[in-house]
Amino acid sequence: MEAPESFLFQLGWRPFFSAQLSPDDALYCQPVRVMSVHRGTVTILGEGIDETIASSLPVPGGPEDRPTVGDWLLIDPVNRTIVRILDRASLFKRPSPGDERRVQLIAANVDTLFIVSSCDQDFNLARIERYLVLARDVGVRPVIVLTKADLAPSPSDFVEAARSLQPTLQVELINGRDRDSAAHLSAYCGAGETVALVGSSGVGKSTLVNTMTGSDSIATQPVRESDGKGMHTTTVRQMHRMRRGTEPGGWLVDTPGMRELQMSEVAAGVAEVFDDVVAITRTCKFSDCAHADEPGCAIRAAIAHGTLTPERVERWRKLDTEDAANTGAAQVRRARAAKGRKRK
């Protein structure tokens, strides 16, 4: 039987988490990782523990104070209740679609984000850019994974378009159904590492997870030929163990398809993904330049000279404006929550 330290390491345990434990925590609590989240419950895995428990916390908190897939929890090993959620090394989230008062947690403690897009009608630079902003904002390595390479007449065009977003961006072109084609992706998912897959429905995330784990446990559905769109196959965010030959690998997190991805509190990510645009704005004649008809606008000059494209500038403007609006709403939401807790 493996030593507890080795088992926790394979789950993704690291000094960042152990440093959060007090002497009492080490004596009376047990660390476990959240494998999947369901309504009112979470499935957890730890040394000698593989079960489903209630997801409620002893003290209700803010919109982010609830377990999500990838979280590390401290639990009472006797009554199997959650003591607290350990601070996260990273957290992917978004405003809940249709309800700006809530936040949807996507995954926690992720090391690499596979931004999955297919070489067909689904390919959308603006959408890929949004995922890039999310990854850069939380300090997680992004990798663009282009699937269905075997079905595209000229897959290299998609690779070139994806690489145009950032000079150092990692772009992988694969056939998600071919184990040999997908095998080199295992380099991003060593023992104890966690990779989350994001992208629209139908791009092949679940197929890729099945291929990389050597399993057919995740159902897949065909894409409509009329518009290239797929149905939501994955409905639960869940961690899947990957194998690297005879050695244990890391963890893959399959997420439900997200065709709409609203942004909130990701100003740092926007600035990094669009660093070329931001750098040029700093040379405008006026610090409050709206980049419309103002004299001395460096953005308009860059477009005229071909340094920037109007499409890229428009995507930056849209994300920057959206982030500012949603961040303001998030601040109001937190203030209301804090006020409600004080009343109690």
Side-chain angles (χ1 to χ4, degrees):
M1 188 173 180
E2 295 174 325
E5 294 81 1
S6 173
F7 184 79
L8 289 181
F9 168 77
Q10 289 188 20
L11 280 177
W13 187 258
R14 62 190 66 171
F16 174 82
F17 302 112
S18 58
Q20 301 178 45
L21 304 186
S22 69
D24 282 348
D25 290 335
L27 281 174
Y28 303 111
C29 298
Q30 181 170 354
V32 296
R33 198 164 190 198
V34 177
M35 296 288 107
S36 61
V37 178
H38 309 271
R39 185 179 295 275
T41 64
V42 291
T43 300
I44 57 172
L45 186 61
E47 178 62 26
I49 294 179
D50 182 0
E51 58 189 77
T52 299
I53 65 172
S55 60
S56 57
L57 298 176
V59 179
E64 296 176 15
D65 296 330
R66 62 186 190 277
T68 191
V69 64
D71 265 329
W72 279 97
L73 310 177
L74 288 185
I75 67 166
D76 183 324
V78 177
N79 58 27
R80 299 296 206 259
T81 56
I82 299 175
V83 176
R84 76 173 191 271
I85 304 172
L86 294 182
D87 290 345
R88 294 144 171 159
S90 63
L91 175 64
F92 288 107
K93 61 182 180 177
R94 65 168 178 169
S96 291
D99 187 355
E100 64 177 17
R101 297 168 300 176
R102 301 191 61 195
V103 173
Q104 186 178 68
L105 306 184
I106 300 170
N109 302 314
V110 171
D111 301 297
T112 300
L113 187 70
F114 280 177
I115 303 171
V116 186
S117 182
S118 48
C119 298
D120 56 19
Q121 304 101 307
D122 177 83
F123 186 84
N124 184 302
L125 282 179
R127 190 183 307 126
I128 292 174
E129 244 165 6
R130 285 174 172 259
Y131 287 121
L132 274 177
V133 166
L134 276 182
R136 298 299 190 191
D137 193 72
V138 300
V140 167
R141 172 177 57 180
V143 178
I144 308 299
V145 178
L146 301 178
T147 61
K148 306 183 183 180
D150 54 314
L151 303 179
S154 183
S156 60
D157 292 345
F158 294 93
V159 175
E160 185 178 349
R163 284 187 175 144
S164 71
L165 295 177
Q166 282 192 305
T168 60
L169 191 59
Q170 295 273 16
V171 180
E172 302 285 356
L173 179 66
I174 64 164
N175 171 4
R177 297 184 183 277
D178 187 322
R179 186 168 298 181
D180 292 335
S181 176
H184 61 284
L185 294 180
S186 64
Y188 299 102
C189 198
E193 294 186 304
T194 301
V195 174
L197 291 84
V198 294
S200 301
S201 300
V203 297
K205 299 190 303 298
S206 296
T207 297
L208 183 57
V209 171
N210 282 339
T211 301
M212 295 181 70
T213 58
S215 168
D216 293 321
S217 60
I218 306 177
T220 60
Q221 294 186 11
V223 173
R224 293 196 302 259
E225 293 185 3
S226 59
D227 57 8
K229 295 181 180 179
M231 300 294 289
H232 291 287
T233 303
T234 299
T235 56
V236 176
R237 292 171 181 85
Q238 184 173 354
M239 296 180 65
H240 304 271
R241 186 68 173 269
M242 196 186 120
R243 287 277 167 187
R244 304 176 73 187
T246 59
E247 297 296 319
W251 299 88
L252 300 173
V253 182
D254 191 16
T255 65
M258 292 181 284
R259 190 159 290 276
E260 269 192 53
L261 181 63
Q262 291 185 326
M263 312 300 285
S264 178
E265 300 180 289
V266 291
V270 173
E272 186 169 346
V273 172
F274 293 91
D275 57 350
D276 55 336
V277 181
V278 173
I280 292 174
T281 64
R282 295 183 181 132
T283 64
C284 286
K285 182 176 181 180
F286 300 105
S287 60
D288 60 347
C289 183
H291 318 299
D293 300 320
E294 295 86 349
C297 174
I299 289 291
R300 288 194 294 114
I303 292 174
H305 293 146
T307 308
L308 291 175
T309 65
E311 294 80 11
R312 181 163 173 78
V313 171
E314 183 55 32
R315 294 197 303 267
W316 162 75
R317 191 194 302 271
K318 183 176 180 180
L319 281 172
D320 189 58
T321 302
E322 183 179 326
D323 173 62
N326 288 337
T327 296
Q331 291 171 346
V332 171
R333 185 168 58 240
R334 281 195 294 269
R336 287 175 178 171
K339 189 175 182 180
R341 288 195 293 271
K342 286 181 180 179
R343 286 176 179 173
K344 293 180 181 179

